[in-house]
């Protein structure tokens, strides 16, 4: 796959393209790109996926607390895994947002050689959001660009959209989000120094910091997680929250207790894959109750992770 910049130019009539944010690169996106590749192969052209560097809502409404499912680099990697011929990243600017759909199709035709434009099943583009797919087809006909609608994803967990996935993650429903994406929701950061309370309880934790501030966190609570750090794939349980039992104030922390692992990993990059929600965070009566709850959490997490890995490997 070749990654293009917005200053690149492609020969006229050389590509079959689709455009979208592709946040989460979920199963609906997989259906879209598969259809795109089929159409490109049928007419002997290159398949082109166009995505944006920044989400339109973050550009047009910067004061909103809008979060993404994944950072840009992860999004590009997951799109690359779908194996289109070309990937173009466009900077969504206020100027680009002022283009109507006909002007946008014309830009794609003239700059990037788009001969066929595949629209996502329910995707809208151009500043006239009330336009229909029929309007896009009429604009395309005037410009010599064929506009097709991709089929709807009709899998077991349909309907699926980035909006739905964000809502599931925000609610802590990481199992449902995983079914929609075809893989677990993941967060990547760096192991940093924290409060150092866990070791005294018998549950040493790695504190996860330096997470992209634009990325959505799951709801506060405890989770069974798979962890990738220092070249190892490990099992563990993570807690997202403010540690009310230990009175650590209002600072949000993300901590992970790694099972059967005691190496020093401070400063290492770390990725958490959220496999299942365990429980909400709540204030307990004291350290003894906290230890009992953490022991129960660990037992539940180990069971869940073993079941998940057994199914995945079968």
């Amino acid at each position: 796959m070749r990654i293009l910049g917005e200053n690149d130019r492609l020969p006229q009539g050389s590509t079959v393209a689709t455009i979208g944010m592709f946040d989460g690169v979920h199963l609906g996106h997989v259906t879209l790109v598969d259809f795109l590749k089929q159409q490109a192969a049928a007419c002997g052209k290159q398949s082109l996926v166009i995505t944006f560097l920044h989400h339109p809502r973050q550009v047009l409404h910067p004061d909103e607390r809008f979060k993404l499912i994944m950072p840009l680099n992860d999004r590009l990697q997951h799109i690359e895994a779908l194996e289109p011929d070309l990937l173009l990243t466009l900077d969504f600017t206020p100027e680009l947002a002022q283009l109507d759909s006909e002007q946008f199709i014309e830009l794609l035709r003239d700059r990037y050689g788009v001969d066929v434009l595949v629209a996502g099943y329910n995707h809208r583009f151009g500043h006239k959001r009330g336009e229909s797919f029929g309007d896009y087809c009429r604009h395309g006909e005037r410009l010599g660009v064929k506009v097709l609608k991709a089929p709807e994803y009709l899998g077991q967990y349909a309907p699926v959209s980035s909006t739905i996935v964000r809502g599931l993650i925000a609610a802590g429903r990481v199992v449902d989000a995983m079914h929609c994406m075809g893989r677990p929701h993941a967060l990547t950061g760096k192991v940093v120094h924290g409060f150092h309370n866990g070791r005294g309880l018998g549950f040493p934790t790695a504190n996860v910091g330096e997470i992209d501030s634009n990325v959505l966190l799951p709801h506060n609570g405890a989770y069974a997680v798979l962890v990738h750090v220092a070249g190892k794939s490990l099992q563990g349980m993570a807690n997202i929250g403010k540690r009310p039992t230990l009175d650590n104030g209002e600072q949000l922390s993300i901590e992970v207790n790694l099972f059967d692992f005691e190496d020093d990993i401070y400063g290492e990059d770390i990725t958490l894959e959220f496999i299942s929600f365990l429980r909400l965070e709540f204030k307990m009566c004291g350290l003894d109750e906290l230890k009992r709850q953490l022991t129960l959490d660990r037992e539940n997490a180990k069971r869940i992770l073993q079941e998940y890995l057994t199914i995945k490997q079968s």
Side-chain angles (χ1 to χ4, degrees), residues 17 40 85 92 98 111 119 122 164 174 201 217 243 255 279:
D85 296 313
F92 189 89
Q98 289 305 307
R111 290 190 186 179
N122 59 357
I164 288 172
V174 294
L201 294 169
L217 300 180
R243 303 157 53 90
E255 295 177 290
R279 62 172 173 84

Side-chain angles (χ1 to χ4, degrees), residues 191-209:
V191 180
V192 298
H193 288 280
F195 293 100
H196 302 286
N197 292 324
R199 187 169 298 277
L201 294 169
F203 293 87
T205 59
N207 195 277
V208 183

